[in-house]
Amino acid sequence: MNDFAYYKATDIDGAVNAAAGPKNNYIGGGTNLIDLWKYDLAHPEKLVDLNGIDELKEITELPDGGLRLGALVTNNATAYHPIVQERYPLLSRTILAGATPQIRNAATNGGNLLQRTRCYYFYDSSSPCNKRVPGSGCPAREGHNRLHAILGYSDACIATMPSDMCVALAALEAVVRVKGPEGERCIPFIEFHRLPGEQPEKDNTLREDELILSVDLPARGFAGHHTYLKLRDRHSYAFALVSVAMGYELDGEGNISVARIALGGVAHKPWRVPAAEELLVGKSPTEDQFARAAEAILEGASGFEHNTFKIDLAHRAILRAGAMAHDPSTQRPGAKPSL
Ligand code: SF4
């Protein structure tokens, strides 16, 4: 392990000032950073510990009816918060589909957004990897690519974003509030993570030294009709092969008035296609309508040797999620959804 300096911040401005510099890292729960460090993939010269900033540990209601999730609130505290359970059950369900209780007790909301891909080659420091060493190559294209992308990838990188929570936050149209040396700004969630393009080393649109303050949820939480369907190789402690976060509202006629669908496990960021969601507006929530939306969401999808199955899996997952969301009470383990 390399030597490093340690600074325990007690306020936001102090943290931002202390973090100035390319090799300085904020640390909250550390559940991914310490892994990266142990794998010789991260080499911070200074750690700015955020755990002394009480302001980042709060969940507060917003005047517009939304909810502010502090960046330092743990994933479990968020999932089990009574307002999240009542008004944003999609988010609660999604968080609880990820990791383990022990990890969720330490992992923070801000850190969840910043976790890095689980591409096997990224974690193997003896392997080339454009995300770790720009220009060195991407062995995943011809190698083991079961977990990899079918949408939005580039010649440089085909990695996927591993978070579950972020898939629900994309569907809920959350906003990420950040502060850096140049002040505070808000980033719409779907613009927070980026596609790999020619710069796969950049996972998101945070500027240097910016600190995530909170994730703000809008008032609409899709408490009536929602689901998170996560398909993976084993039932717990596994990353998604494909996941679907879906929420919709019905009008008085039983037709969909607004719909949001985000996919996980298929791209370098949560995958949303607003035009596909619009196809559902005014339609009844039937399998045929979700099939049309699925076609639009997956337009242009293509796979590699070991992951082409994800295209059909994602299509069928969207149909099933549509049925599950219609009656969230059917989402008990083993329950069979129907429309
Ligand atoms: Fe590296 Fe991305 Fe290729 Fe994986 S997919 S080896 S992270 S460049």
Side-chain angles (χ1 to χ4, degrees):
M1 184 171 280
N2 57 295
D3 292 337
F4 65 95
Y6 174 82
Y7 176 81
K8 181 137 189 172
T10 53
D11 61 69
I12 290 166
D13 287 340
V16 171
N17 288 336
K23 293 206 167 177
N24 299 338
N25 275 85
Y26 296 114
I27 186 165
T31 53
N32 192 211
L33 178 62
I34 302 301
D35 274 352
L36 294 166
W37 206 340
K38 286 197 258 183
Y39 280 103
D40 202 23
L41 306 180
H43 311 97
E45 290 181 353
K46 185 200 276 183
L47 280 188
V48 177
D49 187 346
L50 304 173
N51 286 287
I53 309 178
D54 291 340
E55 189 180 338
L56 300 179
K57 297 179 182 171
E58 296 170 353
I59 292 182
T60 49
E61 294 187 80
L62 295 168
D64 66 357
L67 193 68
R68 172 160 291 166
L69 309 174
L72 258 283
V73 182
T74 67
N75 290 174
N76 258 355
T78 302
Y80 291 119
H81 191 280
I83 298 177
V84 175
Q85 290 195 307
E86 182 188 338
R87 290 176 38 204
Y88 304 95
L90 167 60
L91 180 61
S92 178
R93 180 183 176 88
T94 303
I95 292 172
L96 295 176
T100 65
Q102 292 89 342
I103 292 172
R104 294 194 303 265
N105 277 333
T108 63
N109 292 333
N112 194 305
L113 273 56
L114 300 178
Q115 62 181 298
R116 307 214 67 189
T117 183
R118 262 56 181 189
C119 172
Y120 331 106
Y121 302 98
F122 176 72
Y123 280 83
D124 177 0
S125 59
S126 67
S127 163
C129 168
N130 286 328
K131 186 179 276 296
R132 182 166 29 77
V133 182
S136 62
C138 175
R141 293 184 71 89
E142 306 297 330
H144 297 287
N145 43 45
R146 181 173 171 79
L147 280 178
H148 290 70
I150 55 171
L151 288 160
Y153 54 78
S154 68
D155 288 346
C157 181
I158 63 170
T160 49
M161 190 215 57
S163 167
D164 293 293
M165 181 182 183
C166 291
V167 185
L169 292 174
L172 289 167
E173 297 191 316
V175 169
V176 187
R177 201 168 55 98
V178 306
K179 185 164 190 181
E182 292 166 16
E184 196 173 311
R185 67 187 178 115
C186 291
I187 309 171
F189 202 83
I190 205 62
E191 295 172 17
F192 183 81
H193 296 98
R194 58 184 295 284
L195 294 178
E198 295 299 309
Q199 285 188 295
E201 69 276 16
K202 290 174 73 73
D203 293 342
N204 56 59
T205 55
L206 267 185
R207 296 179 193 143
E208 192 168 299
D209 307 329
E210 276 185 329
L211 170 66
I212 298 175
L213 304 178
S214 67
V215 178
D216 293 353
L217 303 175
R220 178 155 48 212
F222 298 104
H225 299 285
H226 65 271
T227 196
Y228 184 64
L229 176 60
K230 179 176 182 179
L231 303 172
R232 45 188 157 172
D233 279 329
R234 55 170 192 260
H235 193 60
S236 72
Y237 197 36
F239 295 101
L241 292 166
V242 167
S243 68
V244 184
M246 185 184 294
Y248 54 81
E249 291 181 352
L250 300 179
D251 62 21
E253 314 272 287
N255 293 324
I256 293 173
S257 55
V258 58
R260 299 285 180 263
I261 303 171
L263 300 187
V266 299
H268 202 255
K269 60 187 288 185
W271 192 259
R272 257 192 75 197
V273 179
E277 297 162 359
E278 284 302 310
L279 290 175
L280 291 166
V281 174
K283 307 293 190 317
S284 57
T286 62
E287 190 168 295
D288 285 350
Q289 298 301 339
F290 288 116
R292 285 180 68 219
E295 290 290 335
I297 291 169
L298 294 166
E299 189 179 343
S302 63
F304 297 84
E305 183 177 358
H306 303 292
N307 74 346
T308 301
F309 72 94
K310 282 189 178 187
I311 301 170
D312 188 43
L313 187 66
H315 191 283
R316 285 184 282 119
I318 293 167
L319 267 53
R320 185 175 174 88
M324 292 170 72
H326 194 253
D327 182 1
S329 70
T330 63
Q331 295 175 31
R332 299 181 309 276
K336 192 173 178 190
S338 61
L339 279 171

